[in-house]
Amino acid sequence: REGQGTYTYADGAFYVGSWVDDDREGQGTMTFTNGDVYVGSHVDGVREGQGTMTYADGDVYAGAFVDNDKEGQGTYTWTSGAVYVGAWVDDDREGQGTYTYANGDVYVGSWVDGDREGQGTKTWTNGDVYVGSWLDDARTGQGTFTWTYGTVYEGSFSEGDLDGQGAITWSSGGVYTDIGCTTTTTTT
């Protein structure tokens, strides 16, 4: 196969686009038997370069691909309304990115293997804000949590909860320092 053409695979998947030396090469559309559709660049028969994958469930990824994986900068939009814009490595969110939840909450920061990890900021729709360290998709390490009504906690977190040494400054101006606490915050 060489040039522009259409090919139907034995499993029912089909490709419409450019061919070089019997491989998908250049721009084309690949429709998979499960209903997924990829429109974009191919190199040596695989998704490589810029493209858009529309999944059968309605989710959409638009961005860079390397060897069939999401890799580089891209945007993933879930049917729920959630959106991630940022870096990808080996099909996972990795590096810096912004995740907007379906309810409007927003996380901006570092990702590792698809989880929030490293430094990041989460802003809830009610106005609460957390700025600090994340590990395994939870607030862990040092951070600052500011409630919408003005009270601020600066200190240690573990698995999403206030945990260890910290200081609370109430919106009224009162300060309580050197606390050792284990308290569950109301937002995650």
Side-chain angles (χ1 to χ4, degrees):
R1 291 167 286 224
E2 193 81 27
Q4 294 295 309
T6 300
Y7 184 80
T8 302
Y9 295 85
D11 67 358
F14 63 94
Y15 174 77
V16 178
S18 181
W19 296 86
V20 174
D21 294 331
D22 211 29
D23 272 333
R24 297 184 305 271
E25 185 85 23
Q27 295 299 304
T29 300
M30 181 74 183
T31 303
F32 300 89
T33 57
N34 67 356
D36 294 350
V37 177
Y38 172 76
V39 178
S41 179
H42 295 82
V43 175
D44 294 330
V46 298
R47 295 183 297 276
E48 184 96 17
Q50 295 297 305
T52 301
M53 176 71 85
T54 303
Y55 297 92
D57 65 3
D59 292 354
V60 177
Y61 171 79
F65 287 86
V66 173
D67 198 23
N68 282 333
D69 287 339
K70 297 181 284 291
E71 180 118 5
Q73 294 298 304
T75 300
Y76 195 106
T77 305
W78 285 264
T79 55
S80 68
V83 178
Y84 172 79
V85 178
W88 296 82
V89 175
D90 293 331
D91 258 357
D92 275 330
R93 293 169 286 192
E94 180 100 20
Q96 294 299 302
T98 299
Y99 184 89
T100 304
Y101 295 77
N103 70 355
D105 294 350
V106 177
Y107 171 82
V108 178
S110 182
W111 297 82
V112 175
D113 293 330
D115 288 337
R116 297 169 293 182
E117 191 156 318
Q119 293 300 301
T121 300
K122 183 170 180 184
T123 305
W124 284 262
T125 55
N126 70 356
D128 292 350
V129 177
Y130 172 77
V131 178
S133 183
W134 296 77
L135 180 64
D136 295 330
D137 221 26
R139 296 174 304 231
T140 301
Q142 294 300 301
T144 302
F145 192 99
T146 305
W147 284 267
T148 189
Y149 49 84
T151 295
V152 177
Y153 170 80
E154 293 182 63
S156 183
F157 289 79
S158 179
E159 298 178 2
D161 296 329
L162 307 172
D163 188 25
Q165 293 300 304
I168 294 178
T169 303
W170 281 275
S171 55
S172 64
V175 178
Y176 188 60
T177 59
D178 295 326
I179 61 171
C181 67
T182 300
T183 304
T184 302
T185 54
T186 57
T187 52
T188 57

